[in-house]
């Protein structure tokens, strides 16, 4: 039975990773390019009616936020425009939360809107101007000049989360349960998302404009129109690609969520240990078991409840217990 479950999980993981490495990048020309990393040829994908500052793919839809306040919806596979709506914000960052779209601006306003119509559902004010925004579980993280702040449950009540920077946060992304950020001075840092402890940092010799994560690697767009692929363990530039547009925002063309994919190998100290690889297999289970046994809540704390449909299901709570272990068993069996 376990062998069949592992085979099914592996097949599903490979299917979900088929488009991994295919990214969409946009900028102030209002044009979106598509490219297969690491060495593909950037090609025209779509356009909108304003300078693009933010991008997001969710459920097959590409959302483009322009600094003129418009949000466009495109088919994430074809580039066909599906619709658009206007906001009073400069749409400096976008995030999805509980099937609603969060739109932020550099004045610190954040609106929760219907992702299709743009109808305003609620609005709250952040303690800083927002240049980057990402959700993790039920929580919202924002970044800008002044560091990273967290709103538990994305309620609009923010608390200071982390900062390993001296400049303005340009992008935020999660790799597993670690929060990564990059500032305009080229400092790339990562943190424990629960307590904000700085885990490490390195420097890139470029002016970053945004950040994404793909299969455990970091993708950074730069002001000189490049996409850098970085090894998060060492900071080494694995590849770089010139694009013909002003690169201000980047997102994966498809965004498969593969939460049980935690590692490439299960041998501590070996290459790929603790780095997801798009495949769910025995290594991931034994890696999780080791982290759970060691009490590493940064990796192993995944849920409040192990019962699907109950409050806190799939939302880390800072407590490592049997709920987390049985939750991982469930998502491991489901694969990706």
């Amino acid at each position: 039975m376990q062998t069949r479950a592992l085979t099914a999980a592996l097949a599903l993981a490979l299917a979900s990773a088929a488009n991994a490495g295919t990214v969409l990048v946009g900028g102030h020309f209002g044009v979106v390019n598509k490219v297969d990393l690491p060495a593909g040829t950037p090609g025209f994908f779509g356009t909108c009616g304003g300078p693009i500052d933010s991008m997001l793919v969710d459920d097959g839809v590409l959302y483009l936020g322009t600094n003129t306040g418009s949000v466009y919806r495109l088919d994430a596979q074809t580039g066909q425009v599906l619709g658009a709506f206007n906001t009073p914000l400069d749409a400096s960052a976008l995030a999805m939360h509980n099937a609603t779209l969060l739109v932020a601006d550099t004045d610190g306003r954040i609106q929760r809107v219907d992702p299709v119509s743009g109808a305003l559902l609620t609005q709250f004010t952040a303690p800083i101007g927002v240049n980057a925004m990402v959700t993790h579980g039920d929580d919202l993280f924002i970044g800008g000049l002044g560091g990273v702040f967290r709103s538990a449950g994305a309620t609009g009540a923010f608390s200071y989360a982390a900062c390993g920077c001296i400049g303005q946060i340009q992008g935020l992304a999660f790799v597993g349960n670690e929060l990564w950020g990059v500032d305009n001075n080229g400092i790339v840092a990562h943190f424990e998302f629960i307590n904000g402890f700085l885990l490490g940092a390195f420097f890139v010799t470029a002016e970053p404009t945004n950040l994404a994560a793909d299969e455990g690697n970091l993708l950074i767009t730069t002001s000189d129109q490049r996409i850098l692929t970085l090894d998060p363990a060492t900071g080494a530039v694995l590849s770089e690609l010139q694009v013909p547009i002003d690169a201000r925002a980047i997102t994966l063309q498809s965004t498969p969520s593969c939460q049980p994919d935690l590692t490439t190998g299960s041998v501590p100290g070996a290459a790929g240990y603790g780095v997801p690889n798009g495949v769910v297999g025995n290594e991931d289970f034994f890696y999780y078991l080791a982290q759970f046994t060691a009490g590493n809540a940064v990796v192993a704390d995944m849920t409040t409840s192990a019962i699907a449909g109950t409050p806190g299901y799939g939302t880390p709570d800072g407590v490592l217990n049997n709920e987390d272990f049985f939750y991982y068993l469930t998502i491991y069996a489901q694969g990706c």
Side-chain angles (χ1 to χ4, degrees):
M1 177 69 89
Q2 178 67 7
T3 301
R4 289 199 298 272
L6 286 174
T7 302
L10 177 59
L12 286 169
L14 288 172
S16 70
N19 287 330
T22 301
V23 300
L24 301 170
V25 61
H28 287 175
F29 298 156
V31 174
V32 179
N33 273 191
K34 172 183 173 181
V35 61
D36 295 324
L37 297 180
T41 301
F44 176 81
F45 181 78
T47 187
C48 67
I52 299 167
D53 267 350
S54 54
M55 302 173 67
L56 168 72
V57 170
D58 182 74
D59 196 24
V61 177
L62 169 64
Y63 296 86
L64 304 176
T66 74
N67 63 19
T68 57
S70 296
V71 176
Y72 291 80
R73 300 170 53 249
L74 279 65
D75 186 297
Q77 295 300 315
T78 67
Q80 178 182 356
V81 176
L82 303 174
F85 54 84
N86 295 318
T87 75
L89 313 179
D90 59 24
S92 56
L94 301 173
M96 293 297 296
H97 181 260
N98 290 342
T100 63
L101 181 66
L102 300 176
V103 185
D105 74 4
T106 51
D107 287 333
R109 294 175 295 174
I110 301 176
Q111 289 190 347
R112 185 187 297 274
V113 302
D114 182 284
V116 176
S117 68
L120 178 63
L121 303 175
T122 187
Q123 177 172 309
F124 44 90
T125 302
I128 58 172
V130 182
N131 286 87
M133 186 163 60
V134 66
T135 55
H136 183 69
D138 197 37
D139 294 346
L140 172 67
F141 294 81
I142 61 168
L145 188 60
V148 180
F149 288 75
R150 176 186 183 185
S151 175
T155 60
F158 285 92
S159 59
Y160 183 78
C163 186
C165 59
I166 58 175
Q168 177 174 280
I169 296 289
Q170 297 291 88
L172 294 172
F174 272 91
V175 177
N177 275 333
E178 291 184 3
L179 174 64
W180 287 80
V182 63
D183 74 11
N184 60 328
N185 296 309
I187 296 175
V188 185
H190 60 125
F191 314 89
E192 292 185 359
F193 84 97
I194 294 175
N195 52 35
F197 289 162
L198 178 66
L199 300 174
F202 51 81
F203 181 76
V204 293
T205 56
E207 182 186 357
T209 58
N210 220 310
L211 173 69
D214 177 31
E215 290 193 334
N217 290 326
L218 302 175
L219 307 178
I220 292 179
T221 52
T222 68
S223 61
D224 58 357
Q225 302 180 197
R226 290 183 294 157
I227 303 173
L228 307 179
T229 302
L230 305 180
D231 181 345
T234 65
V237 178
L238 303 177
S239 67
E240 60 178 89
L241 182 70
Q242 197 78 35
V243 292
I245 62 174
D246 180 28
R248 295 284 166 178
I250 185 170
T251 187
L252 303 188
Q253 184 180 27
S254 60
T255 53
S257 176
C258 193
Q259 193 178 16
D261 171 29
L262 300 174
T263 191
T264 301
S266 57
V267 180
Y273 186 72
V275 179
N277 63 347
V279 178
V280 177
N282 288 331
E283 291 81 4
D284 299 289
F285 175 78
F286 289 115
Y287 175 81
Y288 180 84
L289 182 61
Q291 302 306 309
F292 181 85
T293 302
N296 185 358
V298 173
V299 173
D301 172 29
M302 293 187 165
T303 193
T304 303
S305 166
I307 302 174
T310 59
Y313 184 75
T315 301
D317 60 353
V319 178
L320 190 58
N321 54 29
N322 288 340
E323 303 293 325
D324 298 289
F325 182 77
F326 289 113
Y327 174 82
Y328 183 77
L329 284 182
T330 299
I331 62 173
Y332 175 76
Q334 291 172 347
C336 295

